[in-house]
Amino acid sequence: QVQLVESGGGLVQAGDSLRLSCTASGLIFTSYVMGWFRQAPGWFRQAPGKEREFVAAIGGSGSYTDYADSVKGRFTISRDNAKNTVYLQMSSLKPEDTAVYYCAAQFGRASTSRYNYNYWGQGTQVTVSS
């Protein structure tokens, strides 16, 4: 079966950097767009759209990337197809980046909508203190 396993989360201070990893198994990795989403604490008290929001996506070959406006210039998504792994390099972290970060895989065209992703990891917590 398909498994996505995230790692690399933790507690950091504002301005620090962190790299998340997600290793996939049970699928033809290069056939899938890989995405990162995040779910902030207390999302259900916030405006619609805050639940599991899109962060970044990368195409199968790695040539296509897309980012949420809130992370452009600070986060970089990349993939190593030889290792079936996708990364999210996060720099200049802010307290508002605090969330559970989820890795996801989508077969087909890249999308920013969580509804189009077929498989999900369990998530890894990132906490940024001020």
Side-chain angles (χ1 to χ4, degrees):
Q1 72 276 22
V2 175
Q3 282 192 314
L4 303 179
V5 180
E6 302 101 333
S7 62
L11 172 63
V12 296
Q13 293 187 330
D16 285 352
S17 298
L18 202 60
R19 188 177 81 158
L20 305 183
S21 300
C22 169
T23 299
S25 60
L27 52 70
I28 302 174
F29 190 63
T30 53
S31 296
Y32 285 80
V33 171
M34 299 301 295
W36 286 97
F37 290 76
R38 65 186 181 186
Q39 188 163 305
W43 62 267
F44 48 89
R45 295 192 294 268
Q46 301 172 14
K50 288 293 186 180
E51 177 189 0
R52 205 164 293 196
E53 64 173 341
F54 170 77
V55 176
I58 186 167
S61 67
S63 59
Y64 168 87
T65 58
D66 191 15
Y67 297 91
D69 288 342
S70 58
V71 307
K72 278 181 183 176
R74 300 189 298 123
F75 291 11
T76 302
I77 189 170
S78 62
R79 64 192 294 161
D80 185 338
N81 287 341
K83 297 181 178 179
N84 279 17
T85 300
V86 60
Y87 305 97
L88 185 68
Q89 178 67 48
M90 305 184 293
S91 303
S92 302
L93 282 162
K94 306 175 181 179
E96 51 264 42
D97 293 319
T98 295
V100 177
Y101 283 73
Y102 295 90
C103 169
Q106 177 191 350
F107 185 80
R109 293 184 65 182
S111 170
T112 61
S113 171
R114 64 187 184 272
Y115 299 110
N116 291 334
Y117 284 76
N118 308 101
Y119 304 105
W120 292 85
Q122 292 301 306
T124 185
Q125 176 71 48
V126 173
T127 303
V128 184
S129 64
S130 57

